[in-house]
Amino acid sequence: MIGSPIRQSPEILAPFLTSLAELERTNIVVSYLFVDDNAEESSQLLLRQFQSQHGRTDIHIEEKHPETYEKDEFTHYWPEETIWKVARMKDAILTYALDRKFDYVFLVDSDLILHPHTLEHLVSANKEIISNIFWTKWQPDTMEMPQVWLSDQYTLYHKDRKESLSDEESAKRTWQFFGQLRVPGIYEVGGLGACTLISRKAIKAGVRFAEIPNLSFWGEDRHFCIRARAMGFALYVDTHFPAYHIYRKSELAGINAYKQSCKGVQSADRKITISVCLIVKNEENALPVCLHSIRDIPDEIIIVDTGSTDRTKAVASKYTDKIYDFAWVDDFAAARNFAFSKATQQYILWLDADDTLTEKDRLLFLELIRTLEPLVDRVTMSYHLSFDENQNVTYSLRRNRLVRRECQFQWIGAVHEYLAASGSVYDSEIAVTHRKDKIHTDRNLQIYRNMLARGEGLSLRDQFYYANECREHGFHQEAAVYYEAFLQTPEGWQEDKIAAALHLATCYSHLAQRDEQLLALFRAFEHDMPRADCCCRIGSVFLEEQDYLQAIYWYESATQCPKPKESMGFMDHSSLTWLPHVQLCLCYDRIGRPDKAKFHHDISYSYNPKHPSIIHNQRYFEQMGNK
């Protein structure tokens, strides 16, 4: 039996019901139970129409009460009483199924679109409790997150009870969990929900969604999972056929692309063909995640191995027979150009082995294949480079990512190479996600130092990147010398000049040269209008000195800075969203302006409600009686 408590807008409910009707059922007989809690009559009508068209459908009308549940383009807002109302409705569905002797209940939320293979595949797994995976951006401009987790409220990495992890290790383990979920399989998890197959055996044993009174965790799914594990039932997730989550109305636009992806992209539907090119070395763990994330996109995959000593080539052979060896010569551009030379399709997509596409970005890419005019020379895509502890994107930039092969664009630079692409451009909404899970080494620094030792001069661009390598490895004085030289030349890319000024300020901060630090930050203004990240950095100098009025001026300025236009340079997302507001909250509190402090706290909370500093501020205002 498929069951669902439903309080949904008709625009979202209609495709949900359609996807239920399209589920394959070769080996199963399906009935439906909908708990109608809709506020809109048109949604109620959709349920009755489904009942008349498909039969075997019961509709239970939920008693109407005033509701405070709201959702918008940012997120969903769940009051406590609504959570336990949903729990009660789900438990009623389980009881109904038990009384009527159904073998399984498939509880599914009404804002999901299911792959036709979903139900048959879940049943074939022969598990007592198993969810089908889906991924969601819980807030805009954040990374997609799974609806399954490993422990506690929503912990996405394994940690022993006595183990203390650094932020870096937590992030690494989270990424490993995400990587596992991106590969088709069935995996044991600690928590799940929203799209779950539950056996009669588990229901008969007493699994329920009702609140466990001595448990503080938020959400009926947490209480279900804890109760199930206490009863001895393992929890699993099936990642073969991810569902599509319509968390916001704006995501309705992606339904067609999702449904097309379920069928696969037919040759006749492709406007362009694509060669994917990767250079790799010892990437046996990352490569399957990368290549699975781009499934159905490439017409051919080119793998250039630069000296692997692990199973990288064996793993690659499962995806392509176009695997080439390239003797490493301390030159990334040479290796990438060799890979490009092996491509035969209309367009070339370049990736690193630790790059992936989220499921929604993959769908956007499949849509691009069906719509891109084949005379576009290059397609730019966002490159998500770093994330905070809540997996929000903190830094990104744009790169020329997909290029027309006939243009014969070349890579330039032994280290920190770039693709010298020009001509007609399409700025895509697609983002490539980069998550490095290897230990950072001094490889690039040594390549530069070997070049200098051989008497090779560094280009202006290489001077900038050599300074970056020195700074990242703690050689702040040496980095400052190269940044200063780079900034004093009139040539150079604007975005590199701005970045150099900010990095130079970092070096002077480490060298305890406060005045030079401020001067470096102000030098960024020579190359463009003031940007939020620079204003926040200046504000932090005055905040550290407890000069709150000066700090307020600069943090307020940051909130007024517009988001840079589609720049190919780095973008600091935190400075454009929550960071200046959380600092203004602190500054205004220190000068005795609690009203202004609360005002900025509310804004920061709306952007990043899980950040430790913002959680601390929330508790602070609650204790003051200012909720």
Side-chain angles (χ1 to χ4, degrees), residues 115-281:
H115 190 290
H117 297 337
T118 300
L119 190 53
E120 289 269 11
H121 205 268
L122 288 174
V123 172
S124 69
N126 197 29
K127 304 295 185 185
E128 307 300 341
I129 302 175
I130 183 169
S131 269
N132 194 72
I133 192 78
F134 63 86
W135 299 78
T136 303
K137 292 185 177 182
W138 301 117
Q139 285 87 33
D141 299 322
T142 62
M143 187 177 176
E144 278 186 354
M145 307 286 274
Q147 100 288 8
V148 297
W149 59 98
L150 289 175
S151 64
D152 301 328
Q153 179 79 15
Y154 189 63
T155 300
L156 298 164
Y157 54 86
H158 174 74
K159 182 175 81 72
D160 294 334
R161 289 186 180 89
K162 295 182 179 180
E163 199 173 12
S164 179
L165 301 182
S166 65
D167 290 343
E168 292 77 11
E169 181 62 24
S170 298
K172 176 183 176 181
R173 294 187 187 187
T174 298
W175 180 238
Q176 288 171 343
F177 180 52
F178 284 5
Q180 180 187 52
L181 297 180
R182 293 293 186 186
V183 177
I186 293 175
Y187 308 105
E188 188 170 354
V189 294
L192 45 73
C195 191
T196 306
L197 187 75
I198 308 169
S199 73
R200 176 176 175 79
K201 178 180 177 181
I203 300 169
K204 193 173 182 180
V207 296
R208 294 292 186 272
F209 292 86
E211 181 181 10
I212 302 173
N214 63 341
L215 183 68
S216 65
F217 285 173
W218 178 92
E220 80 284 359
D221 288 328
R222 277 81 181 167
H223 293 243
F224 171 87
C225 293
I226 290 171
R227 187 180 277 113
R229 287 299 290 139
M231 291 177 176
F233 293 105
L235 308 174
Y236 295 91
V237 63
D238 184 348
T239 67
H240 286 85
F241 303 107
Y244 182 77
H245 194 192
I246 315 172
Y247 195 61
R248 302 167 183 83
K249 286 191 176 180
S250 60
E251 289 162 341
L252 285 163
I255 293 176
N256 287 339
Y258 173 76
K259 289 198 165 187
Q260 286 287 340
S261 74
C262 293
K263 302 173 184 176
V265 183
Q266 304 302 316
S267 298
D269 296 329
R270 289 178 177 261
K271 274 199 167 184
I272 62 171
T273 59
I274 295 176
S275 302
V276 170
C277 290
L278 297 92
I279 60 171
V280 298
K281 181 179 180 180

Side-chain angles (χ1 to χ4, degrees), residues 272-531:
I272 62 171
T273 59
I274 295 176
S275 302
V276 170
C277 290
L278 297 92
I279 60 171
V280 298
K281 181 179 180 180
N282 295 337
E283 298 288 2
E284 64 178 352
N285 294 323
L287 195 58
V289 180
C290 171
L291 296 181
H292 177 70
S293 78
I294 61 169
R295 63 193 182 280
D296 302 325
I297 289 173
D299 296 272
E300 69 175 358
I301 298 174
I302 309 294
I303 303 289
V304 170
D305 190 278
T306 61
S308 292
T309 56
D310 65 358
R311 297 183 59 258
T312 293
K313 290 200 284 187
V315 170
S317 66
K318 297 177 181 179
Y319 298 87
T320 180
D321 59 356
K322 297 187 176 182
I323 303 170
Y324 304 91
D325 290 311
F326 182 82
W328 181 242
V329 292
D330 279 356
D331 191 326
F332 280 93
R336 291 201 190 276
N337 286 330
F338 177 77
F340 271 34
S341 73
K342 300 299 182 181
T344 64
Q345 303 300 306
Q346 290 174 287
Y347 281 82
I348 302 174
L349 169 69
W350 68 271
L351 294 169
D352 289 334
D354 45 12
D355 291 338
T356 60
L357 296 181
T358 68
E359 188 60 21
K360 290 186 179 178
D361 286 316
R362 187 181 77 90
L363 297 180
L364 288 172
F365 210 126
L366 293 174
E367 187 66 18
L368 179 75
I369 290 171
R370 287 188 285 268
T371 58
L372 184 70
E373 291 301 326
L375 293 180
V376 172
D377 295 320
R378 57 194 175 103
V379 178
T380 70
M381 300 178 190
S382 291
Y383 201 15
H384 292 168
L385 292 168
S386 64
F387 306 82
D388 64 18
E389 64 277 9
N390 296 311
Q391 304 306 312
N392 299 314
V393 179
T394 52
Y395 285 96
S396 68
L397 73 161
R398 275 199 167 266
R399 301 293 296 269
N400 289 308
R401 181 62 68 172
L402 182 72
V403 294
R404 194 153 63 91
R405 184 173 62 87
E406 285 186 356
C407 295
Q408 297 186 339
F409 296 133
Q410 294 291 295
W411 288 88
I412 297 174
V415 188
H416 296 290
E417 69 282 10
Y418 69 96
L419 183 57
S422 57
S424 57
V425 60
Y426 173 67
D427 294 320
S428 167
E429 295 180 15
I430 302 165
V432 176
T433 297
H434 179 80
R435 294 299 297 259
K436 200 167 191 66
D437 60 356
K438 290 183 176 179
I439 297 173
H440 187 62
T441 70
D442 65 349
R443 176 198 58 192
N444 293 346
L445 177 66
Q446 294 308 321
I447 291 175
Y448 277 130
R449 287 191 166 166
N450 289 338
M451 291 171 64
L452 291 171
R454 293 193 298 267
E456 298 178 23
L458 297 182
S459 69
L460 186 62
R461 184 174 183 275
D462 282 334
Q463 289 179 36
F464 168 66
Y465 279 102
Y466 178 55
N468 288 346
E469 292 293 335
C470 290
R471 172 182 53 81
E472 290 173 6
H473 289 87
F475 302 108
H476 297 109
Q477 188 65 61
E478 185 178 2
V481 171
Y482 276 90
Y483 284 132
E484 289 282 9
F486 178 75
L487 287 168
Q488 287 169 11
T489 59
E491 296 83 11
W493 185 34
Q494 168 187 290
E495 297 299 328
D496 285 348
K497 294 286 189 181
I498 294 170
L502 298 181
H503 295 331
L504 178 59
T506 298
C507 293
Y508 284 134
S509 175
H510 282 281
L511 296 169
Q513 295 178 238
R514 181 263 190 194
D515 292 346
E516 287 79 1
Q517 178 186 359
L518 272 179
L519 285 173
L521 290 168
F522 285 122
R523 288 172 75 174
F525 296 164
E526 297 174 4
H527 303 284
D528 197 14
M529 298 290 289
R531 294 187 182 179

Side-chain angles (χ1 to χ4, degrees), residues 4-9 13 33-45 47-48 58-69 71 78-79 81-90 93 110:
S4 182
I6 298 176
R7 185 183 182 89
Q8 192 58 265
S9 66
L13 181 57
L33 174 60
F34 301 131
V35 181
D36 184 353
D37 188 39
N38 289 295
E40 298 184 54
E41 186 176 345
S42 51
S43 295
Q44 297 171 341
L45 178 60
L47 294 182
R48 293 196 295 271
D58 276 357
I59 300 174
H60 291 182
I61 307 299
E62 176 68 15
E63 183 180 352
K64 297 297 182 288
H65 297 284
E67 295 290 340
T68 57
Y69 169 67
K71 57 184 178 179
W78 284 88
E81 60 272 18
T82 303
I83 291 172
W84 303 118
K85 173 184 174 179
V86 171
R88 179 174 51 77
M89 289 190 285
K90 288 182 177 180
I93 293 172
S110 61

